[in-house]
Coordinates of all heavy atoms in Angstrom, one line a residue:
Y1216 N -6.2 15.9 3.0 CA -5.5 14.7 3.0 C -6.3 13.7 2.1 O -5.8 12.8 1.5 CB -5.4 14.1 4.3 CG -4.4 14.8 5.3 CD1 -4.9 15.5 6.4 CD2 -3.1 14.7 5.0 CE1 -4.0 16.3 7.2 CE2 -2.2 15.5 5.8 CZ -2.7 16.2 6.9 OH -1.8 16.9 7.7
V1217 N -7.6 13.9 2.0 CA -8.4 13.0 1.2 C -8.0 13.2 -0.3 O -7.9 12.3 -1.0 CB -10.0 13.3 1.4 CG1 -10.8 12.6 0.4 CG2 -10.3 12.9 2.8
K1218 N -7.9 14.5 -0.7 CA -7.6 14.8 -2.1 C -6.1 14.2 -2.4 O -5.9 13.7 -3.5 CB -7.5 16.3 -2.3 CG -7.5 16.7 -3.7 CD -8.6 16.0 -4.5 CE -9.3 16.9 -5.5 NZ -10.3 16.3 -6.3
A1219 N -5.2 14.3 -1.4 CA -3.9 13.8 -1.7 C -4.0 12.3 -1.8 O -3.4 11.7 -2.7 CB -2.9 14.0 -0.5
A1220 N -4.8 11.6 -1.0 CA -5.0 10.2 -1.2 C -5.5 9.8 -2.5 O -5.2 8.7 -3.1 CB -5.8 9.6 0.0
E1221 N -6.4 10.6 -3.1 CA -7.0 10.3 -4.3 C -5.9 10.4 -5.4 O -5.9 9.6 -6.3 CB -8.1 11.4 -4.7 CG -9.4 11.2 -3.8 CD -10.4 12.3 -4.0 OE1 -10.2 13.2 -4.8 OE2 -11.4 12.3 -3.2
W1222 N -5.0 11.4 -5.3 CA -4.0 11.5 -6.3 C -3.0 10.3 -6.1 O -2.5 9.9 -7.2 CB -3.2 12.8 -6.2 CG -4.1 14.0 -6.8 CD1 -4.8 14.9 -6.1 CD2 -4.3 14.1 -8.2 NE1 -5.5 15.7 -7.0 CE2 -5.2 15.3 -8.3 CE3 -3.9 13.5 -9.4 CZ2 -5.6 15.8 -9.5 CZ3 -4.3 14.1 -10.6 CH2 -5.2 15.1 -10.6
Y1223 N -2.7 10.0 -4.9 CA -1.8 8.8 -4.8 C -2.4 7.6 -5.4 O -1.7 6.8 -6.0 CB -1.6 8.5 -3.2 CG -0.9 9.6 -2.5 CD1 -1.1 9.8 -1.1 CD2 0.0 10.6 -3.0 CE1 -0.5 10.7 -0.3 CE2 0.6 11.5 -2.3 CZ 0.4 11.6 -0.9 OH 1.0 12.6 -0.2
Q1224 N -3.7 7.5 -5.2 CA -4.4 6.3 -5.8 C -4.3 6.2 -7.4 O -4.0 5.3 -7.9 CB -5.9 6.3 -5.4 CG -6.8 5.2 -6.0 CD -6.6 3.9 -5.4 OE1 -6.3 3.8 -4.2 NE2 -6.8 2.9 -6.1
K1225 N -4.4 7.4 -7.9 CA -4.3 7.5 -9.4 C -3.0 7.2 -9.9 O -2.8 6.4 -10.9 CB -4.6 9.0 -9.8 CG -6.1 9.3 -9.7 CD -6.3 10.8 -10.1 CE -7.7 11.2 -9.8 NZ -8.7 11.1 -10.8
A1226 N -1.9 7.6 -9.2 CA -0.6 7.2 -9.5 C -0.3 5.7 -9.2 O 0.3 5.0 -10.0 CB 0.4 8.1 -8.8
A1227 N -0.7 5.3 -8.1 CA -0.4 3.9 -7.6 C -1.0 2.9 -8.6 O -0.3 1.9 -8.9 CB -1.0 3.7 -6.2
V1228 N -2.2 3.1 -9.0 CA -2.8 2.1 -9.9 C -2.2 2.0 -11.3 O -2.3 1.0 -12.1 CB -4.4 2.3 -10.1 CG1 -5.1 2.1 -8.7 CG2 -4.7 3.5 -10.7
Q1229 N -1.5 3.1 -11.6 CA -0.8 3.1 -12.9 C 0.7 2.5 -12.7 O 1.5 2.4 -13.7 CB -0.6 4.5 -13.4 CG -1.9 5.1 -13.9 CD -1.8 6.6 -14.3 OE1 -0.8 6.9 -15.0 NE2 -2.7 7.4 -14.0
G1230 N 1.0 2.1 -11.5 CA 2.3 1.4 -11.3 C 3.4 2.4 -10.8 O 4.6 1.9 -10.8
H1231 N 3.2 3.6 -10.5 CA 4.2 4.5 -10.0 C 4.6 4.2 -8.5 O 3.8 4.2 -7.6 CB 3.7 6.0 -10.1 CG 3.5 6.4 -11.5 ND1 4.5 6.7 -12.4 CD2 2.3 6.6 -12.2 CE1 4.0 7.0 -13.6 NE2 2.7 6.9 -13.5
A1232 N 5.8 3.8 -8.3 CA 6.3 3.4 -7.0 C 6.1 4.4 -5.9 O 5.7 4.1 -4.8 CB 7.8 3.0 -7.1
R1233 N 6.4 5.7 -6.2 CA 6.2 6.7 -5.1 C 4.7 6.9 -4.8 O 4.4 7.1 -3.6 CB 6.8 8.0 -5.5 CG 8.4 7.9 -5.6 CD 9.0 9.2 -5.3 NE 10.4 9.0 -5.5 CZ 11.3 8.6 -4.6 NH1 10.8 8.2 -3.4 NH2 12.6 8.5 -4.8
G1234 N 3.8 6.8 -5.8 CA 2.4 6.8 -5.5 C 2.0 5.7 -4.6 O 1.1 5.8 -3.7
Q1235 N 2.5 4.5 -5.0 CA 2.2 3.3 -4.2 C 2.6 3.4 -2.8 O 1.9 3.1 -1.8 CB 2.8 2.1 -4.9 CG 2.2 1.7 -6.2 CD 2.9 0.7 -7.0 OE1 4.1 0.4 -6.8 NE2 2.3 0.1 -7.9
S1236 N 3.8 3.9 -2.6 CA 4.4 4.1 -1.3 C 3.6 5.1 -0.5 O 3.2 4.9 0.7 CB 5.9 4.5 -1.4 OG 6.4 4.7 -0.1
S1237 N 3.2 6.2 -1.1 CA 2.4 7.3 -0.5 C 1.0 6.7 -0.1 O 0.6 7.0 1.0 CB 2.3 8.5 -1.3 OG 3.6 9.1 -1.4
L1238 N 0.5 6.0 -1.0 CA -0.9 5.5 -0.8 C -0.8 4.5 0.4 O -1.6 4.4 1.3 CB -1.5 4.8 -2.0 CG -2.9 4.3 -1.9 CD1 -3.8 5.4 -1.5 CD2 -3.4 3.7 -3.2
G1239 N 0.2 3.6 0.4 CA 0.4 2.6 1.4 C 0.5 3.3 2.8 O 0.0 2.9 3.8
G1240 N 1.3 4.4 2.8 CA 1.4 5.1 4.1 C 0.2 5.7 4.5 O -0.2 5.8 5.8
S1241 N -0.6 6.2 3.5 CA -1.9 6.8 4.0 C -2.8 5.7 4.5 O -3.5 5.9 5.6 CB -2.7 7.3 2.7 OG -1.9 8.5 2.2
Y1242 N -2.9 4.5 4.0 CA -3.6 3.5 4.5 C -3.2 3.0 5.8 O -3.9 2.7 6.8 CB -3.8 2.3 3.6 CG -4.8 2.4 2.5 CD1 -4.5 2.5 1.2 CD2 -6.1 2.3 2.9 CE1 -5.5 2.6 0.2 CE2 -7.2 2.4 1.9 CZ -6.8 2.5 0.6 OH -7.8 2.6 -0.4
G1243 N -1.9 2.9 6.0 CA -1.3 2.5 7.3 C -1.5 3.4 8.4 O -1.7 3.0 9.6
N1244 N -1.6 4.7 8.1 CA -1.8 5.8 9.1 C -3.3 6.2 9.2 O -3.6 7.0 10.1 CB -0.9 6.9 9.0 CG 0.5 6.5 9.1 OD1 0.9 6.0 10.1 ND2 1.4 6.8 8.2
G1245 N -4.1 5.9 8.3 CA -5.5 6.3 8.2 C -5.6 7.7 7.9 O -6.4 8.5 8.5
V1246 N -4.7 8.3 7.1 CA -4.7 9.7 6.7 C -5.3 9.9 5.3 O -4.7 9.4 4.3 CB -3.3 10.3 6.7 CG1 -3.2 11.7 6.3 CG2 -2.7 10.1 8.1
G1247 N -6.5 10.4 5.2 CA -7.2 10.7 4.0 C -8.0 9.5 3.5 O -8.8 9.6 2.6
V1248 N -7.7 8.4 4.1 CA -8.5 7.1 3.9 C -8.7 6.4 5.2 O -8.0 6.7 6.2 CB -7.8 6.1 2.8 CG1 -7.7 6.8 1.5 CG2 -6.4 5.9 3.4
E1249 N -9.6 5.5 5.2 CA -9.8 4.7 6.4 C -8.6 3.7 6.6 O -8.1 3.2 5.6 CB -11.1 3.8 6.2 CG -11.4 3.1 7.6 CD -12.8 2.4 7.5 OE1 -13.7 2.9 6.7 OE2 -13.0 1.4 8.1
Q1250 N -8.1 3.7 7.8 CA -7.0 2.8 8.0 C -7.2 1.4 7.7 O -8.3 0.8 8.0 CB -6.6 2.9 9.6 CG -5.2 2.2 9.9 CD -4.9 2.4 11.3 OE1 -5.7 2.2 12.2 NE2 -3.7 2.8 11.5
D1251 N -6.3 0.8 6.9 CA -6.5 -0.6 6.4 C -5.1 -1.1 6.2 O -4.4 -0.9 5.2 CB -7.3 -0.5 5.0 CG -7.6 -1.9 4.5 OD1 -6.8 -2.8 4.8 OD2 -8.6 -2.0 3.7
Y1252 N -4.7 -2.0 7.1 CA -3.3 -2.6 7.1 C -3.1 -3.5 5.9 O -2.1 -3.5 5.3 CB -3.0 -3.3 8.3 CG -2.9 -2.4 9.6 CD1 -3.3 -2.9 10.9 CD2 -2.3 -1.2 9.5 CE1 -3.1 -2.1 12.0 CE2 -2.2 -0.4 10.6 CZ -2.6 -0.9 11.8 OH -2.4 -0.1 12.9
V1253 N -4.2 -4.2 5.4 CA -4.0 -5.1 4.2 C -3.7 -4.2 3.0 O -2.8 -4.5 2.3 CB -5.3 -5.9 4.0 CG1 -5.2 -6.6 2.7 CG2 -5.5 -6.9 5.2
Q1254 N -4.4 -3.1 2.8 CA -4.2 -2.3 1.7 C -2.8 -1.6 1.8 O -2.0 -1.4 0.9 CB -5.3 -1.1 1.6 CG -6.6 -1.7 1.0 CD -6.4 -2.1 -0.4 OE1 -6.0 -1.4 -1.3 NE2 -6.9 -3.3 -0.7
A1255 N -2.4 -1.1 3.0 CA -1.1 -0.6 3.3 C 0.0 -1.5 3.0 O 0.9 -1.2 2.2 CB -1.0 -0.1 4.8
Y1256 N -0.2 -2.7 3.4 CA 0.9 -3.7 3.1 C 1.0 -4.0 1.7 O 2.2 -4.1 1.1 CB 0.6 -5.0 3.9 CG 1.6 -6.1 3.9 CD1 2.5 -6.3 4.9 CD2 1.7 -7.0 2.8 CE1 3.4 -7.3 4.9 CE2 2.6 -8.0 2.7 CZ 3.4 -8.2 3.8 OH 4.4 -9.1 3.7
M1257 N -0.1 -4.1 1.0 CA -0.1 -4.4 -0.5 C 0.6 -3.3 -1.2 O 1.6 -3.6 -2.0 CB -1.5 -4.5 -1.0 CG -1.5 -4.8 -2.5 SD -3.1 -4.6 -3.3 CE -3.2 -2.8 -3.4
W1258 N 0.2 -2.0 -1.0 CA 0.8 -0.9 -1.7 C 2.2 -0.8 -1.4 O 3.1 -0.5 -2.3 CB 0.0 0.4 -1.5 CG -1.3 0.3 -2.2 CD1 -2.6 0.3 -1.6 CD2 -1.6 0.2 -3.6 NE1 -3.5 0.2 -2.6 CE2 -2.9 0.2 -3.8 CE3 -0.7 0.2 -4.8 CZ2 -3.6 0.1 -5.1 CZ3 -1.3 0.1 -6.0 CH2 -2.8 0.0 -6.1
L1259 N 2.6 -0.9 -0.2 CA 4.0 -0.8 0.3 C 4.9 -1.9 -0.3 O 6.0 -1.6 -0.8 CB 4.1 -0.7 1.8 CG 3.6 0.6 2.4 CD1 3.4 0.4 3.9 CD2 4.5 1.8 2.1
S1260 N 4.3 -3.1 -0.4 CA 5.0 -4.2 -1.0 C 5.3 -4.0 -2.5 O 6.4 -4.3 -3.0 CB 4.2 -5.5 -0.9 OG 4.1 -5.9 0.5
L1261 N 4.3 -3.4 -3.2 CA 4.5 -3.1 -4.6 C 5.6 -2.0 -4.8 O 6.4 -2.2 -5.7 CB 3.2 -2.7 -5.3 CG 2.1 -3.8 -5.4 CD1 0.7 -3.2 -5.6 CD2 2.5 -4.8 -6.4
A1262 N 5.6 -1.0 -4.0 CA 6.6 0.0 -4.1 C 7.9 -0.5 -3.8 O 9.0 -0.2 -4.5 CB 6.3 1.2 -3.1
A1263 N 8.0 -1.4 -2.8 CA 9.3 -2.0 -2.3 C 9.9 -2.9 -3.5 O 11.0 -2.9 -3.7 CB 9.2 -2.8 -1.1
A1264 N 9.0 -3.5 -4.2 CA 9.4 -4.5 -5.3 C 10.0 -3.6 -6.4 O 10.8 -4.2 -7.2 CB 8.2 -5.3 -5.8
Q1265 N 9.7 -2.4 -6.5 CA 10.3 -1.4 -7.4 C 11.6 -0.8 -7.0 O 12.1 0.1 -7.7 CB 9.3 -0.4 -7.9 CG 8.1 -1.0 -8.7 CD 7.3 0.0 -9.4 OE1 7.7 0.7 -10.2 NE2 6.0 0.1 -8.9
G1266 N 12.0 -1.1 -5.8 CA 13.3 -0.7 -5.3 C 13.2 0.5 -4.3 O 14.3 1.0 -3.8
L1267 N 12.0 0.8 -3.8 CA 11.9 1.9 -2.7 C 12.2 1.2 -1.4 O 11.3 0.6 -0.9 CB 10.6 2.6 -2.8 CG 10.3 3.5 -3.9 CD1 8.9 4.2 -3.8 CD2 11.4 4.6 -4.0
K1268 N 13.4 1.4 -0.9 CA 13.7 0.7 0.3 C 12.9 1.1 1.5 O 12.6 0.4 2.4 CB 15.3 0.9 0.6 CG 16.1 0.2 -0.3 CD 17.6 0.5 0.0 CE 18.4 -0.2 -1.1 NZ 19.8 -0.1 -0.9
A1269 N 12.6 2.5 1.6 CA 11.8 3.0 2.7 C 10.4 2.3 2.7 O 9.8 2.1 3.8 CB 11.7 4.5 2.5
A1270 N 9.9 2.0 1.6 CA 8.5 1.4 1.5 C 8.6 0.0 2.0 O 7.8 -0.5 2.8 CB 8.1 1.2 0.0
G1271 N 9.8 -0.8 1.8 CA 9.9 -2.1 2.4 C 10.0 -2.0 4.0 O 9.4 -2.8 4.7
K1272 N 10.7 -1.0 4.5 CA 10.8 -0.8 5.9 C 9.5 -0.5 6.5 O 9.0 -1.0 7.6 CB 11.8 0.3 6.2 CG 13.2 -0.1 6.0 CD 14.2 1.1 6.3 CE 15.6 0.7 5.9 NZ 16.6 1.8 6.1
D1273 N 8.7 0.4 5.8 CA 7.3 0.8 6.3 C 6.4 -0.4 6.3 O 5.6 -0.7 7.1 CB 6.7 1.8 5.5 CG 7.4 3.2 5.6 OD1 8.2 3.4 6.6 OD2 7.2 4.1 4.8
R1274 N 6.5 -1.2 5.1 CA 5.7 -2.5 5.1 C 6.0 -3.4 6.3 O 5.1 -4.0 6.9 CB 6.0 -3.2 3.8 CG 5.3 -4.6 3.6 CD 5.9 -5.5 2.7 NE 7.3 -5.7 3.1 CZ 8.3 -5.8 2.2 NH1 8.1 -5.8 0.9 NH2 9.5 -5.9 2.6
D1275 N 7.3 -3.6 6.6 CA 7.7 -4.5 7.7 C 7.2 -3.9 9.0 O 6.8 -4.8 9.9 CB 9.2 -4.6 7.7 CG 9.8 -5.4 6.5 OD1 9.0 -6.0 5.8 OD2 11.0 -5.3 6.2
S1276 N 7.1 -2.6 9.1 CA 6.6 -2.0 10.4 C 5.1 -2.3 10.5 O 4.5 -2.7 11.6 CB 6.9 -0.5 10.4 OG 6.3 0.0 11.6
I1277 N 4.4 -2.2 9.3 CA 2.9 -2.5 9.4 C 2.7 -3.9 9.6 O 1.7 -4.3 10.4 CB 2.3 -2.1 8.0 CG1 2.4 -0.6 7.7 CG2 0.9 -2.6 7.8 CD1 1.4 0.2 8.5
A1278 N 3.5 -4.8 9.1 CA 3.3 -6.3 9.3 C 3.3 -6.6 10.8 O 2.6 -7.6 11.1 CB 4.4 -7.0 8.5
K1279 N 4.0 -5.9 11.5 CA 4.0 -6.2 13.0 C 2.7 -6.0 13.7 O 2.5 -6.5 14.7 CB 5.1 -5.3 13.7 CG 6.6 -5.7 13.3 CD 7.5 -4.8 13.9 CE 8.9 -5.1 13.4 NZ 9.9 -4.2 13.8
R1280 N 1.8 -5.2 13.0 CA 0.5 -5.0 13.6 C -0.6 -5.8 12.9 O -1.7 -5.7 13.3 CB 0.1 -3.5 13.3 CG 1.1 -2.5 13.9 CD 0.7 -1.1 13.6 NE 1.9 -0.3 13.5 CZ 2.0 0.7 12.7 NH1 1.0 1.1 12.1 NH2 3.2 1.4 12.6
M1281 N -0.1 -6.8 12.1 CA -1.1 -7.5 11.3 C -1.1 -9.0 11.8 O -0.2 -9.5 12.3 CB -0.8 -7.5 9.8 CG -0.8 -6.1 9.2 SD -0.1 -6.1 7.5 CE -1.4 -7.1 6.6
T1282 N -2.3 -9.6 11.5 CA -2.4 -11.0 11.8 C -1.8 -11.8 10.6 O -1.7 -11.2 9.5 CB -3.9 -11.5 11.9 OG1 -4.6 -11.3 10.7 CG2 -4.6 -10.7 13.0
A1283 N -1.5 -13.1 10.7 CA -1.0 -13.9 9.7 C -2.0 -14.0 8.5 O -1.6 -13.9 7.4 CB -0.7 -15.3 10.2
E1284 N -3.3 -14.0 8.9 CA -4.3 -14.0 7.8 C -4.3 -12.7 7.0 O -4.5 -12.7 5.8 CB -5.7 -14.2 8.5 CG -5.9 -15.6 9.0 CD -5.2 -15.8 10.4 OE1 -4.9 -14.8 11.1 OE2 -5.0 -16.9 10.8
Q1285 N -4.1 -11.6 7.7 CA -4.1 -10.4 6.9 C -2.9 -10.3 6.0 O -3.0 -9.8 4.9 CB -4.1 -9.2 7.9 CG -5.4 -8.9 8.7 CD -5.2 -7.8 9.7 OE1 -4.3 -7.9 10.5 NE2 -6.1 -6.8 9.7
I1286 N -1.8 -10.7 6.5 CA -0.6 -10.7 5.6 C -0.8 -11.7 4.4 O -0.4 -11.3 3.3 CB 0.6 -11.1 6.4 CG1 1.0 -10.0 7.4 CG2 1.9 -11.4 5.5 CD1 2.0 -10.4 8.4
E1287 N -1.4 -12.8 4.7 CA -1.7 -13.7 3.6 C -2.6 -13.0 2.5 O -2.4 -13.2 1.3 CB -2.3 -15.0 4.1 CG -2.5 -16.2 3.2 CD -2.9 -17.4 3.8 OE1 -2.3 -17.8 4.9 OE2 -3.9 -17.9 3.4
E1288 N -3.6 -12.3 3.0 CA -4.5 -11.6 2.1 C -3.8 -10.6 1.3 O -4.1 -10.5 0.1 CB -5.7 -11.1 2.9 CG -6.7 -10.3 2.1 CD -7.8 -9.6 3.0 OE1 -7.8 -9.8 4.2 OE2 -8.5 -8.8 2.4
A1289 N -3.0 -9.8 2.0 CA -2.3 -8.8 1.3 C -1.3 -9.4 0.2 O -1.1 -8.8 -0.9 CB -1.5 -7.9 2.3
D1290 N -0.7 -10.5 0.6 CA 0.3 -11.1 -0.3 C -0.5 -11.6 -1.5 O 0.0 -11.5 -2.7 CB 1.0 -12.3 0.4 CG 2.2 -11.8 1.2 OD1 2.7 -10.7 1.0 OD2 2.5 -12.6 2.1
A1291 N -1.7 -12.1 -1.4 CA -2.5 -12.5 -2.5 C -2.8 -11.4 -3.4 O -2.8 -11.4 -4.7 CB -3.8 -13.2 -2.0
L1292 N -3.2 -10.2 -2.8 CA -3.4 -9.0 -3.6 C -2.2 -8.6 -4.4 O -2.4 -8.1 -5.6 CB -3.9 -7.9 -2.7 CG -5.3 -8.1 -2.0 CD1 -5.5 -7.0 -1.0 CD2 -6.4 -8.1 -3.1
V1293 N -1.1 -8.6 -3.8 CA 0.2 -8.3 -4.5 C 0.3 -9.2 -5.7 O 0.7 -8.8 -6.8 CB 1.4 -8.3 -3.5 CG1 2.7 -8.2 -4.3 CG2 1.3 -7.3 -2.5
R1294 N 0.2 -10.5 -5.5 CA 0.4 -11.5 -6.6 C -0.6 -11.2 -7.8 O -0.2 -11.4 -8.9 CB 0.2 -12.9 -6.1 CG 1.3 -13.5 -5.3 CD 1.2 -14.9 -5.1 NE 0.0 -15.3 -4.4 CZ -0.2 -15.3 -3.1 NH1 0.8 -15.0 -2.3 NH2 -1.3 -15.7 -2.6
D1295 N -1.8 -10.8 -7.5 CA -2.8 -10.6 -8.5 C -2.9 -9.2 -9.1 O -3.5 -9.0 -10.0 CB -4.2 -10.9 -7.9 CG -4.4 -12.4 -7.5 OD1 -3.6 -13.2 -7.9 OD2 -5.3 -12.7 -6.6
W1296 N -2.1 -8.3 -8.5 CA -2.1 -6.9 -8.9 C -1.6 -6.7 -10.3 O -0.6 -7.2 -10.7 CB -1.4 -6.0 -8.0 CG -1.6 -4.6 -8.3 CD1 -2.6 -3.7 -7.9 CD2 -0.7 -3.8 -9.1 NE1 -2.5 -2.5 -8.4 CE2 -1.2 -2.5 -9.1 CE3 0.5 -3.9 -9.7 CZ2 -0.6 -1.4 -9.8 CZ3 1.1 -2.9 -10.3 CH2 0.5 -1.6 -10.5
K1297 N -2.2 -5.9 -11.1 CA -1.8 -5.5 -12.4 C -2.0 -4.0 -12.6 O -3.1 -3.5 -12.2 CB -2.6 -6.2 -13.6 CG -2.6 -7.7 -13.4 CD -1.8 -8.3 -14.5 CE -1.8 -9.9 -14.5 NZ -1.5 -10.5 -13.3
P1298 N -1.1 -3.2 -13.2 CA -1.3 -1.8 -13.4 C -2.5 -1.5 -14.3 O -2.7 -2.4 -15.2 CB 0.0 -1.3 -13.9 CG 0.7 -2.5 -14.4 CD 0.2 -3.7 -13.7
E1299 N -3.1 -0.4 -14.1 CA -4.2 0.0 -15.0 C -3.7 0.7 -16.2 O -2.8 1.4 -16.1 CB -5.3 0.8 -14.3 CG -6.0 0.0 -13.2 CD -7.1 0.8 -12.5 OE1 -7.3 2.0 -12.8 OE2 -7.7 0.2 -11.6

């Protein structure tokens, strides 16, 4: 799972929606990476913005487990994000 998360990361930072969605799921579930809802929300939001409806649903599910401050932090990361 760690190796898969590394590949998802490589795709995600380049702007690939499916990589972003997979990486977000990994962070949300703590699979291959340490669980981090802020990172999960950010990556899932980026994937959803590219039209992946499932990513939007997953993001909304993660949001139910987050504080308002965490969501605000994740939204700021989304606004500032640029592909590598």
Side-chain angles (χ1 to χ4, degrees):
Y1216 294 112
V1217 172
K1218 194 57 138 171
E1221 289 173 7
W1222 284 106
Y1223 297 153
Q1224 175 79 27
K1225 289 175 189 271
V1228 299
Q1229 292 179 37
H1231 296 284
R1233 293 208 185 276
Q1235 292 170 339
S1236 180
S1237 295
L1238 185 59
S1241 294
Y1242 275 114
N1244 295 307
V1246 176
V1248 293
E1249 188 172 330
Q1250 189 173 49
D1251 184 330
Y1252 290 146
V1253 172
Q1254 287 292 309
Y1256 186 100
M1257 179 194 79
W1258 289 114
L1259 291 167
S1260 292
L1261 290 168
Q1265 293 191 64
L1267 288 182
K1268 292 180 183 180
K1272 290 179 184 178
D1273 291 344
R1274 179 207 49 220
D1275 294 345
S1276 177
I1277 293 285
K1279 293 176 184 174
R1280 301 179 216 151
M1281 297 171 69
T1282 65
E1284 291 81 17
Q1285 288 174 310
I1286 293 172
E1287 190 174 306
E1288 179 184 352
D1290 284 337
L1292 291 172
V1293 170
R1294 282 191 303 275
D1295 295 339
W1296 185 83
K1297 305 250 184 304
E1299 292 182 2

